[in-house]
Amino acid sequence: MPLPKAELHLHIEGTLEPELAFALAERNGVELPYADTDEIREAYRFEDLQSFLNLYYELMAVLRTERDFEDLSNAYLARAAAQGVRHAEIFFDPQAHIARGVGMGTVVEGLWRALGSSEENHGVSTQLIMCFLRDESAESAMETLRAAEPYLDRIVGVGLDSAEAGHPPVKFREVYEAAAALGLRRVAHAGEEGPPEYIRQALDLLGVERVDHGLSCMEDPALVDRLVRDRIPLTLCPLSNVRLRAVDTLADHPLPAMLDAGLLCTVNSDDPAYFGGYVGDNFDAVRDTLGLTEDRLRELARNSFLASFLEHDEERRRRYLAEVEAYAFP
Ligand code: HPA
Ligand code: ZN
């Protein structure tokens, strides 16, 4: 039995496996510029975040109907459950779909067809976090927030993703203020490729409660002190960092140093179809390569539930945490 955990940094579009991409392409009459699944996997050699995003946005063309988003989500939830995920807070990128003529309603209703019955079908509780594309304008983000208003009973919070360099959090200050006024929780990618200053901006200007990645904080000891003191969770994605070359090799990943510094780290998969593994695979990789002890692995699992947006159901959080403490490693 795998270690029980929450996944807090997962782009649902990044769970699109090549086999499903071809099945959906056929169902929807979409032409993919790849001969077969091997050819897609050969394209998984990324130089940096942007080179990944190019493929990520290209393959999304196959997602067109509610049923497509439902099938995508069910495939992820089944894999996540098999790797010990009890709770998942799932990012989606509505602008990438709206730009292709697929409306907010299709995306959210489609995702919900799987998420709404995920506890019964997969034993995984879920929440949705809507991300703004930071390489699009602040006006576009605000329009997206307005388009989501009819669906806010299904969306727990907002996030910020896509190309980080040159798109500092400050650009989205008003959008995050508006999201907060709507009662939404706030997270943002910061410090994946961007400097520590972007992490500070996400905290100070966007009011984020959790930082996605946050890797570059290690260049700024005063920022580390603050993140430790304020117990700001970081959603790290080790295999993603290797594939997108944020670190040279997994052995160079700062996760052990970050835990030693007292940071509230979690381990997540980011875009598992593209980066060589789901969240359990990330746990296995950091155990094997970074030599994390069972105590450290349990701490990561505990942190994932402590950092979850489960304030509406503290009884559930206690149950999940009790499972972590009771877990016997094989
Ligand atoms: N980083 C930034 N934006 C993203 C990612 C990522 O890893 N995956 C999907 N959008
Ligand atoms: Zn991400």
Side-chain angles (χ1 to χ4, degrees):
M1 191 186 79
L3 179 63
K5 55 183 78 72
E7 175 143 66
L8 306 179
H9 186 153
L10 180 281
H11 303 265
I12 196 65
E13 298 90 345
T15 69
L16 179 61
E17 296 282 349
E19 290 73 17
L20 183 58
F22 274 104
L24 298 183
E26 180 160 322
R27 193 156 90 188
N28 293 325
V30 173
E31 191 86 44
L32 281 178
Y34 298 91
D36 53 30
T37 54
D38 287 345
E39 212 173 285
I40 292 183
R41 291 201 165 89
E42 277 159 29
Y44 290 173
R45 288 200 208 104
F46 308 116
E47 307 290 316
D48 54 15
L49 175 56
Q50 187 61 57
S51 63
F52 153 70
L53 290 169
N54 295 343
L55 181 65
Y56 171 81
Y57 292 124
E58 180 179 49
L59 292 182
M60 270 183 215
V62 304
L63 298 166
R64 302 222 54 95
T65 67
E66 285 187 22
R67 194 172 147 216
D68 300 338
F69 288 93
E70 177 186 12
D71 291 350
L72 178 71
S73 303
N74 274 322
Y76 162 68
L77 290 163
R79 285 176 183 264
Q83 296 200 356
V85 172
R86 295 283 189 280
H87 176 75
E89 301 192 356
I90 298 175
F91 294 139
F92 69 111
D93 284 331
Q95 285 157 293
H97 308 302
I98 292 168
R100 302 181 291 108
V102 178
M104 181 71 80
T106 301
V107 179
V108 176
E109 298 291 352
L111 295 171
W112 201 256
R113 278 160 67 155
L115 271 51
S117 50
S118 171
E119 277 213 79
E120 298 91 285
N121 292 340
H122 303 286
V124 179
S125 56
T126 60
Q127 316 235 50
L128 270 179
I129 298 177
M130 178 175 80
C131 285
F132 304 117
L133 302 183
R134 67 201 307 155
D135 45 357
E136 299 290 333
S137 68
E139 292 71 28
S140 170
M142 193 67 94
E143 280 168 27
T144 307
L145 182 63
R146 294 303 166 216
E149 282 192 41
Y151 307 100
L152 290 187
D153 55 334
R154 291 169 183 193
I155 297 173
V156 72
V158 295
L160 189 61
D161 66 2
S162 202
E164 186 179 7
H167 301 286
V170 60
K171 183 174 160 187
F172 297 94
R173 192 179 192 157
E174 287 79 19
V175 184
Y176 270 66
E177 272 170 20
L182 290 167
L184 291 162
R185 313 293 296 262
R186 288 163 286 170
V187 300
H189 285 52
E192 180 183 20
E193 286 189 342
E197 169 60 17
Y198 284 19
I199 301 173
R200 291 180 183 280
Q201 282 189 14
L203 295 168
D204 293 333
L205 307 181
L206 305 187
V208 305
E209 301 172 71
R210 231 163 46 197
V211 176
D212 296 314
H213 293 296
L215 210 59
S216 71
C217 76
M218 295 304 277
E219 299 162 22
D220 183 338
L223 177 58
V224 170
D225 288 348
R226 173 182 178 184
L227 293 167
V228 171
R229 186 192 65 225
D230 294 343
R231 304 270 295 153
I232 304 289
L234 306 180
T235 62
L236 300 171
C237 307
L239 291 176
S240 165
N241 295 150
V242 175
R243 292 298 184 101
L244 300 187
R245 309 203 186 175
V247 297
D248 290 335
T249 71
L250 190 56
D252 302 306
H253 200 281
L255 174 62
M258 296 174 92
L259 288 167
D260 287 344
L263 288 163
L264 204 161
C265 299
T266 66
V267 162
N268 308 271
S269 69
D270 211 0
D271 301 282
Y274 294 86
F275 299 152
Y278 286 74
V279 66
D281 303 313
N282 274 267
F283 269 76
D284 291 349
V286 298
R287 179 197 61 207
D288 295 345
T289 304
L290 297 171
L292 291 195
T293 62
E294 290 179 0
D295 281 351
R296 281 301 196 204
L297 297 169
R298 197 186 305 276
E299 176 184 349
L300 289 168
R302 185 186 303 125
N303 287 349
S304 72
F305 293 115
L306 292 174
S308 296
F309 291 149
L310 282 170
E311 282 75 5
H312 63 289
D313 194 352
E314 290 294 349
E315 168 52 34
R316 177 187 297 276
R317 194 199 311 268
R318 267 193 296 280
R319 231 183 317 124
Y320 289 147
L321 285 167
E323 262 196 80
V324 172
E325 301 314 325
Y327 181 75
F329 284 90

XYZ file of all heavy atoms in Angstrom, residues 76-113:
293
model
N -6.618 10.463 -14.823
C -5.708 10.960 -13.784
C -6.086 10.409 -12.410
O -5.226 9.915 -11.664
C -5.692 12.497 -13.732
C -5.112 12.981 -12.416
C -3.759 12.788 -12.129
C -5.918 13.551 -11.429
C -3.228 13.157 -10.894
C -5.390 13.916 -10.198
C -4.049 13.720 -9.938
O -3.531 14.060 -8.712
N -7.373 10.510 -12.051
C -7.798 10.122 -10.699
C -7.520 8.645 -10.436
O -7.122 8.273 -9.331
C -9.280 10.460 -10.511
C -9.553 11.972 -10.432
C -11.040 12.271 -10.659
C -9.087 12.548 -9.088
N -7.686 7.808 -11.452
C -7.405 6.376 -11.279
C -5.912 6.159 -11.011
O -5.529 5.394 -10.115
C -7.844 5.604 -12.523
N -5.065 6.841 -11.753
C -3.612 6.696 -11.552
C -3.183 7.270 -10.216
O -2.336 6.711 -9.525
C -2.854 7.424 -12.669
C -2.873 6.696 -13.995
C -2.182 7.591 -15.021
N -2.199 7.032 -16.360
C -1.191 6.332 -16.882
N -0.113 6.085 -16.167
N -1.267 5.878 -18.117
N -3.755 8.415 -9.870
C -3.394 9.058 -8.604
C -3.808 8.168 -7.436
O -3.022 7.952 -6.498
C -4.063 10.429 -8.512
N -5.017 7.636 -7.490
C -5.501 6.770 -6.401
C -4.575 5.576 -6.216
O -4.246 5.198 -5.085
C -6.928 6.303 -6.699
N -4.121 5.010 -7.324
C -3.233 3.839 -7.259
C -1.894 4.180 -6.619
O -1.185 3.299 -6.146
C -3.025 3.268 -8.660
N -1.543 5.469 -6.598
C -0.273 5.894 -5.991
C -0.487 6.545 -4.618
O 0.388 7.252 -4.127
C 0.475 6.831 -6.943
C 0.882 6.109 -8.235
C 2.005 6.781 -8.996
O 2.486 7.848 -8.653
N 2.439 6.129 -10.071
N -1.648 6.315 -4.019
C -1.863 6.738 -2.637
C -2.502 8.102 -2.461
O -2.644 8.584 -1.332
N -2.889 8.758 -3.552
C -3.502 10.089 -3.420
C -4.906 9.957 -2.826
O -5.732 9.206 -3.333
C -3.542 10.820 -4.786
C -4.340 12.119 -4.692
C -2.120 11.097 -5.270
N -5.135 10.673 -1.721
C -6.457 10.690 -1.077
C -7.210 11.978 -1.408
O -8.418 12.059 -1.277
C -6.295 10.636 0.446
C -5.701 9.386 0.963
C -6.745 8.264 0.957
N -6.217 7.114 1.649
C -5.370 6.234 1.113
N -4.991 6.379 -0.158
N -4.921 5.229 1.821
N -6.435 13.016 -1.755
C -7.027 14.340 -1.977
C -6.184 15.044 -3.046
O -4.959 15.014 -2.979
C -7.009 15.127 -0.663
C -7.510 16.532 -0.785
N -8.847 16.825 -0.920
C -6.866 17.722 -0.794
C -8.992 18.145 -1.012
N -7.809 18.712 -0.930
N -6.872 15.663 -4.019
C -6.143 16.335 -5.103
C -6.725 17.726 -5.326
O -7.944 17.886 -5.414
C -6.246 15.517 -6.397
N -5.853 18.716 -5.381
C -6.262 20.082 -5.714
C -5.719 20.348 -7.107
O -4.504 20.433 -7.309
C -5.750 21.048 -4.638
C -6.335 20.618 -3.296
C -6.189 21.575 -2.132
O -5.538 22.630 -2.279
O -6.748 21.256 -1.060
N -6.633 20.420 -8.063
C -6.315 20.256 -9.482
C -6.377 21.592 -10.214
O -7.399 22.274 -10.208
C -7.310 19.244 -10.105
C -7.136 17.872 -9.417
C -7.147 19.167 -11.609
C -8.144 16.822 -9.868
N -5.263 21.949 -10.868
C -5.222 23.165 -11.693
C -5.861 22.900 -13.046
O -5.705 21.810 -13.613
C -3.766 23.565 -11.997
C -2.954 23.995 -10.818
C -1.624 23.582 -10.703
C -3.458 24.831 -9.843
C -0.835 23.990 -9.648
C -2.672 25.259 -8.778
C -1.356 24.835 -8.684
N -6.506 23.932 -13.587
C -6.870 23.903 -15.007
C -6.630 25.276 -15.604
O -6.557 26.275 -14.889
C -8.314 23.409 -15.217
C -9.392 24.346 -14.736
C -10.218 25.007 -15.642
C -9.605 24.569 -13.382
C -11.229 25.864 -15.218
C -10.611 25.433 -12.937
C -11.415 26.073 -13.854
N -6.475 25.311 -16.933
C -6.071 26.516 -17.674
C -7.174 26.950 -18.634
O -7.095 26.703 -19.842
C -4.802 26.209 -18.506
C -3.535 26.155 -17.685
O -3.456 26.848 -16.652
O -2.598 25.445 -18.099
N -8.239 27.601 -18.129
C -9.374 27.891 -19.017
C -9.010 28.735 -20.234
O -9.563 28.535 -21.321
C -10.365 28.623 -18.111
C -9.612 29.047 -16.911
C -8.478 28.081 -16.757
N -8.070 29.675 -20.086
C -7.756 30.535 -21.244
C -7.241 29.733 -22.433
O -7.483 30.100 -23.583
C -6.714 31.592 -20.850
C -7.301 32.715 -20.004
C -6.231 33.393 -19.185
O -5.655 32.790 -18.275
N -5.948 34.637 -19.490
N -6.530 28.645 -22.146
C -5.979 27.837 -23.238
C -7.097 27.127 -24.006
O -6.914 26.740 -25.156
C -4.991 26.812 -22.685
N -8.257 26.963 -23.372
C -9.395 26.317 -24.032
C -10.311 27.351 -24.671
O -10.754 27.184 -25.795
C -10.147 25.446 -23.028
C -9.241 24.509 -22.301
N -8.463 23.590 -22.965
C -8.925 24.379 -20.988
C -7.726 22.918 -22.083
N -7.982 23.387 -20.873
N -10.569 28.425 -23.935
C -11.443 29.484 -24.460
C -10.861 30.025 -25.768
O -11.587 30.282 -26.732
C -11.634 30.593 -23.392
C -12.455 30.031 -22.222
C -12.305 31.834 -23.996
C -12.484 30.907 -20.971
N -9.532 30.149 -25.832
C -8.871 30.654 -27.044
C -9.123 29.749 -28.247
O -9.041 30.192 -29.388
C -7.366 30.780 -26.800
N -9.467 28.469 -27.988
C -9.737 27.523 -29.073
C -11.233 27.356 -29.309
O -11.662 26.439 -30.022
C -9.145 26.144 -28.729
C -7.665 26.133 -28.460
C -7.154 24.718 -28.162
N -7.644 24.202 -26.888
C -8.557 23.239 -26.746
N -9.090 22.661 -27.810
N -8.939 22.835 -25.554
N -12.036 28.179 -28.647
C -13.484 28.108 -28.837
C -14.177 27.109 -27.934
O -15.337 26.754 -28.155
N -13.462 26.618 -26.903
C -14.068 25.696 -25.936
C -14.376 26.509 -24.677
O -13.467 27.033 -24.032
C -13.110 24.522 -25.620
C -13.714 23.591 -24.582
C -12.758 23.761 -26.899
N -15.650 26.631 -24.343
C -16.069 27.584 -23.305
C -15.786 27.127 -21.888
O -15.562 25.943 -21.622
N -15.817 28.094 -20.980
C -15.619 27.827 -19.551
C -16.594 26.747 -19.060
O -16.223 25.861 -18.283
C -15.825 29.129 -18.761
C -15.631 29.005 -17.283
S -13.915 28.772 -16.781
C -13.326 30.462 -16.878
N -17.855 26.819 -19.527
C -18.860 25.859 -19.075
C -18.497 24.434 -19.468
O -18.615 23.502 -18.670
N -18.040 24.255 -20.698
C -17.646 22.921 -21.165
C -16.514 22.366 -20.305
O -16.516 21.195 -19.907
C -17.177 22.998 -22.640
O -18.251 23.510 -23.425
C -16.752 21.644 -23.166
N -15.534 23.233 -20.003
C -14.366 22.792 -19.238
C -14.782 22.418 -17.812
O -14.515 21.306 -17.346
C -13.277 23.891 -19.222
C -12.078 23.434 -18.398
C -12.845 24.253 -20.646
N -15.459 23.342 -17.135
C -15.769 23.107 -15.717
C -16.788 21.974 -15.562
O -16.618 21.088 -14.709
C -16.258 24.398 -15.028
C -16.665 24.117 -13.588
C -15.177 25.479 -15.079
N -17.831 21.989 -16.395
C -18.828 20.909 -16.288
C -18.186 19.559 -16.611
O -18.490 18.546 -15.988
C -20.009 21.150 -17.246
C -20.810 22.419 -16.979
C -21.624 22.369 -15.683
O -21.699 21.290 -15.059
O -22.169 23.417 -15.298
N -17.311 19.557 -17.601
C -16.650 18.306 -17.982
C -15.760 17.786 -16.865
O -15.805 16.599 -16.513
N -14.931 18.660 -16.308
C -14.080 18.250 -15.184
C -14.947 17.743 -14.044
O -14.660 16.722 -13.411
C -13.218 19.430 -14.707
C -12.171 19.972 -15.698
C -11.565 21.269 -15.174
C -11.067 18.938 -15.945
N -16.064 18.444 -13.805
C -16.917 18.104 -12.664
C -17.601 16.751 -12.838
O -17.910 16.073 -11.851
C -17.955 19.214 -12.420
C -18.456 19.134 -11.026
C -19.670 18.646 -10.604
C -17.740 19.499 -9.840
N -19.743 18.682 -9.239
C -18.573 19.208 -8.744
C -16.472 20.047 -9.615
C -18.185 19.432 -7.423
C -16.077 20.279 -8.306
C -16.932 19.973 -7.239
N -17.831 16.356 -14.073
C -18.443 15.029 -14.312
C -17.574 13.937 -13.691
O -18.073 12.913 -13.247
C -18.636 14.800 -15.808
C -19.912 15.458 -16.324
C -19.938 15.682 -17.823
N -19.973 14.447 -18.600
C -20.463 14.363 -19.839
N -20.965 15.441 -20.431
N -20.433 13.224 -20.492
